[in-house]
Amino acid sequence: MSAFATGGDGGGANSAGRAAAGGAADASARGVGDASATVSATARGGKGGAVSANGGEAGHGGTATARARAESAFGRARATAEAIGGDGGRGRNGGGGNGASVSLENSVSGNAWFGLTLDQVARGGNGGVGDVTGGAGGSAYSALEIGSADAPIQAWTLHMVSSAYGGIGGSVRSGGVAAAGGEAYAIAAAFGSHTSSVVAASQGGAGGEGDVFTGRADGAVGGTSRSVARASTTDHGTARATAIASGGRGGDAKRLGSLAGAGAHVEQSTAYGRSAFGDVNVSATAGAGGGGSGNFGANGGRGGDARMIDAVSGSTLGRLSLSQTADAGSGGYSENRLAGHGGSALSSLTYSDANAQDLAAVVRAVGGRGGRAGAGSGHANGGDAMASLTLNSSRQGSLVNGEARAEGGNATGTGLGGAARAVIAVSGEGHVSSVGYASGGLASPGRAGAASAEVAAISTQRGGSARAEATALGATHQSDALARADLGAPGRAEASAHGDGSAGRALAQAGVQGGAGRSVSASAHSDVSGQTDSHARAVMGGSLDLWLDPIAPAAGLGAFSYVVAGSGESGGASAGMHARPDVQLVPSVIGHGRMGAGYGGAASGVRSYSASAVFTFTQEARSELVLGMLDFTANGRGDDFTLRFSVTHFDTTLLEHSFSGLSAAESWFADQTLHLGTFEGETEIGLHLTLTGDFAQSADFSYMLSAPVPEPTSAALMLAGIALLRFMARWRSAQQSSPDPEDWTS
């Protein structure tokens, strides 16, 4: 069933004053069916009347409203209501009429057992073209809110969309002022009993054009927008909430020296989801408007900025997924003048949760692209992008995954690519993963944007894990990738850092705390030149019997450090030591690992790469520490580089060696035992390797840190003797007081 209504056009005027407004329109429809019901109602307001007199004003567009209801006893029902405001009239020698604004509130409804779909749309009318001034684009407001905790919608699946579209601003033809696009605001909220899917979408109207034949007229700014979505459901139902807000595009300009309109900024779009035990998916996106185009000697408009701060949230005992995006507008094209710069983007989310078993969040920021330019029209910069995420779960044993992505806008001509920065810290009491990605905007022949990714992953649960991954792509500019993974109890921590640029650093750090003063950490650092990688891995509580299985050599890595810490007998490790007579194996193994450094294949110039491992533990009694050097591997050519190796105890250097070639290093690192000295109490042993060179070479080796079983001290022997004498005295006394065995039978 469908219903349509259209208002009549307003009458024109040939004299000063205002022409008549368009007529209003009202459409209403209702349908009922057993298996299914589909109902729609559409209303369009009439167009405002035109004016052709000097100083006259064209008529405004007519208003519109629509209502629809669908009911199905056993199947599906769908109701759609759309209201379109009338356009403003044409103002010849005068001003254009305003487009009609439209407002809809709960204009669709329905009832169904299996599936209910509701779609509500409000569209503002377009502003009329004027020779002196353009008419304003009509605003649009759509609010659809149904159900509550006390009275949830009973359909098995509920899907609803609330949309609002602002009208286009009126253009100007004779050196006057173009009008801005209409604003748009959409709200969608639903409380269902099973599956609830809610979408709120808004789009600001485009700005009016400065389409003049004489004089100068700039394009107008696009209309702003805002969206709010809330989806709730009971028990194990799934809730999905999606909010999308898009700013209007700037109006074009078509005259020498004029400026096209800027794209609309979008400040906020929010979404919330709730379920007792089911999955909850929440997404909010803000997309700024692009700048208008400049033709016939006009400049392009600037792209709008996008800004999102703490725009998504939710609640469930199941899986909670959050996504937040800020997408800046692109700069406008210019045929033969200056193109518009891209807008900047900021997306920042700080979120803590105590309920979800599986918590995931993605934050994304995309800078606007610089406007395309015609021949000889200069340059346009790409917009900067910043993505920031702080994510925490206090539920024990939960899975926590976070990702922050920042992408700078590409530049055109000799412009600068947008800088990108991703900052993320994820923490929890289970398995934690944190990923940061930053990509600077490209530019040719201009300079690419710098990139920085700072990533932290923290877990506190025994047997848990922490993984941090940082990627920074700066092309021909600075790239800094910093990744750190920390585990507050025995388990596994792993960090990787990837940089690609002309300078910067790739730093990966991993650490594990074991309690009672025990900890282990690994660190790998590489100077960035071309594609560069650093890896660090720390494990406490892993099997020491597997230590002879080598962890992969440097193979394309700038630097790496893998370390396993433990405390106990060397066990099966001794079986593989028969071929290593120069390495002393002692019963108590503190830890083992592998580290290496290598000059990157895509690097240029002098670069430095380093790896380290640090063991912290307590020596209950004074004993010697022994370091076994194993499996040294060298790759590359020549002996013209510097390799340094040192062992430290806190800030004190125990030994240090420097080599100017691989052959010298290989002979020293060949299987041997290094006696580090005797230690007691709190102890921190650090191993440090640094390679510096300017061509492809690498070196890596395995090692084992261990301590003999300490000899008993004289005090310990005395105490043991006293204890033995006391035991013997008690035994004799017991023998003397016991009855004769022969008496037991009498």
Side-chain angles (χ1 to χ4, degrees):
M1 172 182 241
S2 300
F4 300 92
T6 302
D9 294 343
N14 296 319
S15 60
R18 181 172 294 280
D26 187 348
S28 179
R30 182 171 183 252
V32 179
D34 291 335
S36 65
T38 300
V39 177
S40 66
T42 303
R44 180 187 293 271
K47 183 177 180 179
V51 68
S52 59
N54 291 332
E57 298 288 339
H60 302 320
T63 60
T65 185
R67 293 172 302 280
R69 178 174 176 80
E71 300 179 30
S72 174
F74 308 107
R76 301 176 182 271
R78 181 186 184 101
T80 302
E82 182 175 12
I84 307 167
D87 296 341
R90 171 73 164 93
R92 299 182 186 278
N93 301 316
N98 296 336
S101 295
V102 173
S103 178
L104 294 180
E105 294 188 47
N106 296 332
S107 292
V108 288
S109 60
N111 198 3
W113 176 82
F114 190 73
L116 177 61
T117 300
L118 303 176
D119 194 353
Q120 178 176 289
V121 183
R123 299 180 185 272
N126 299 329
V129 176
D131 289 344
V132 178
T133 58
S139 63
Y141 175 76
S142 176
L144 180 57
E145 301 176 84
I146 62 173
S148 66
D150 296 330
I153 303 301
Q154 293 301 313
W156 186 260
T157 60
L158 171 62
H159 179 72
M160 53 180 273
V161 180
S162 176
S163 306
Y165 301 90
I168 299 172
S171 301
V172 67
R173 291 289 175 87
S174 299
V177 179
E183 298 179 352
Y185 186 8
I187 299 173
F191 204 117
S193 58
H194 298 287
T195 297
S196 295
S197 177
V198 170
V199 178
S202 60
Q203 169 77 62
E209 296 181 357
D211 186 12
V212 300
F213 300 105
T214 60
R216 168 180 172 169
D218 296 337
V221 66
T224 61
S225 66
R226 182 185 180 192
S227 295
V228 176
R230 297 188 299 271
S232 301
T233 186
T234 59
D235 299 332
H236 292 82
T238 298
R240 302 185 186 93
T242 303
I244 303 171
S246 303
R249 180 180 180 273
D252 295 345
K254 301 180 179 180
R255 190 70 178 177
L256 179 66
S258 297
L259 175 64
H265 302 316
V266 178
E267 291 290 334
Q268 197 73 321
S269 177
T270 60
Y272 169 81
R274 177 186 178 277
S275 176
F277 305 100
D279 291 350
V280 173
N281 298 281
V282 181
S283 173
T285 300
S293 297
N295 299 295
F296 307 108
N299 298 312
R302 186 184 185 279
D305 298 334
R307 180 183 174 90
M308 294 282 276
I309 299 177
D310 297 336
V312 290
S313 59
S315 176
T316 183
L317 293 173
R319 186 178 191 276
L320 175 59
S321 177
L322 306 175
S323 176
Q324 178 178 294
T325 300
D327 195 349
S330 298
Y333 163 82
S334 178
E335 183 179 26
N336 49 20
R337 297 288 289 178
L338 298 177
H341 299 310
S344 63
L346 168 65
S347 183
S348 175
L349 175 63
T350 299
Y351 192 80
S352 295
D353 183 81
N355 301 314
Q357 175 62 35
D358 187 344
L359 176 63
V362 176
V363 171
R364 186 167 180 253
V366 182
R369 185 185 68 251
R372 189 169 57 88
S377 53
H379 65 274
N381 299 334
D384 296 339
M386 170 70 177
S388 174
L389 174 62
T390 302
L391 184 65
N392 170 261
S393 172
S394 57
R395 176 167 172 172
Q396 189 171 6
S398 61
L399 300 176
V400 190
N401 296 277
E403 181 177 355
R405 296 181 65 89
E407 302 172 30
N410 294 339
T412 58
T414 57
L416 304 179
R421 186 184 182 197
V423 179
I424 177 172
V426 181
S427 57
E429 299 185 15
H431 297 283
V432 174
S433 174
S434 182
V435 178
Y437 175 91
S439 176
L442 301 178
S444 179
R447 188 177 67 176
S452 173
E454 304 159 42
V455 181
I458 304 169
S459 177
T460 59
Q461 185 183 38
R462 184 180 184 89
S465 63
R467 183 180 72 91
E469 180 181 333
T471 300
L473 308 178
T476 57
H477 206 287
Q478 181 92 3
S479 296
D480 293 303
L482 314 174
R484 181 171 183 84
D486 286 309
L487 190 58
R492 178 190 181 100
E494 185 169 3
S496 62
H498 173 77
D500 187 356
S502 61
R505 58 177 178 156
L507 174 63
Q509 298 174 309
V512 180
Q513 301 286 331
R518 296 173 57 229
S519 67
V520 62
S521 64
S523 178
H525 172 274
S526 302
D527 288 347
V528 170
S529 180
Q531 295 189 21
T532 310
D533 290 276
S534 297
H535 287 183
R537 183 186 306 155
V539 179
M540 183 175 288
S543 172
L544 294 178
D545 290 343
L546 300 178
W547 75 275
L548 284 174
D549 183 18
I551 307 170
L557 297 177
F560 74 94
S561 178
Y562 303 148
V563 59
V564 178
S567 178
E569 299 300 317
S570 56
S574 59
M577 294 302 296
H578 64 276
R580 304 173 184 272
D582 296 328
V583 180
Q584 179 182 350
L585 179 65
V586 293
S588 181
V589 176
I590 295 169
H592 64 87
R594 190 174 186 89
M595 65 173 60
Y599 189 88
S604 61
V606 177
R607 303 292 173 177
S608 181
Y609 308 85
S610 61
S612 66
V614 177
F615 299 85
T616 302
F617 53 96
T618 300
Q619 289 283 80
E620 299 296 341
R622 188 172 184 83
S623 64
E624 183 182 23
L625 293 181
V626 177
L627 181 65
M629 311 295 287
L630 311 165
D631 299 322
F632 182 81
T633 302
N635 296 287
R637 58 180 177 80
D639 287 331
D640 188 14
F641 82 121
T642 300
L643 184 69
R644 295 185 178 88
F645 176 72
S646 64
V647 180
T648 59
H649 177 242
F650 291 106
D651 294 329
T652 302
T653 300
L654 302 179
L655 62 88
E656 184 174 17
H657 288 273
S658 180
F659 311 92
S660 59
L662 289 177
S663 57
E666 189 169 10
S667 62
W668 188 86
F669 276 94
D671 296 354
Q672 65 163 311
T673 299
L674 301 177
H675 297 270
L676 304 181
T678 56
F679 302 86
E680 184 176 8
E682 185 179 1
T683 306
E684 181 185 281
I685 299 297
L687 283 63
H688 312 278
L689 179 72
T690 300
L691 182 149
T692 303
D694 61 358
F695 53 88
Q697 285 188 328
S698 66
D700 55 87
F701 67 96
S702 297
Y703 58 87
M704 182 182 69
L705 179 65
S706 55
V709 176
E711 294 294 332
T713 63
S714 57
L717 290 173
M718 182 180 295
L719 291 174
I722 293 172
L724 180 60
L725 290 174
R726 287 178 177 174
F727 173 78
M728 293 300 295
R730 289 196 185 99
W731 182 80
R732 291 194 185 96
S733 175
Q735 290 294 316
Q736 292 173 1
S737 60
S738 299
D740 193 309
E742 295 181 356
D743 296 338
W744 295 353
T745 58
S746 60

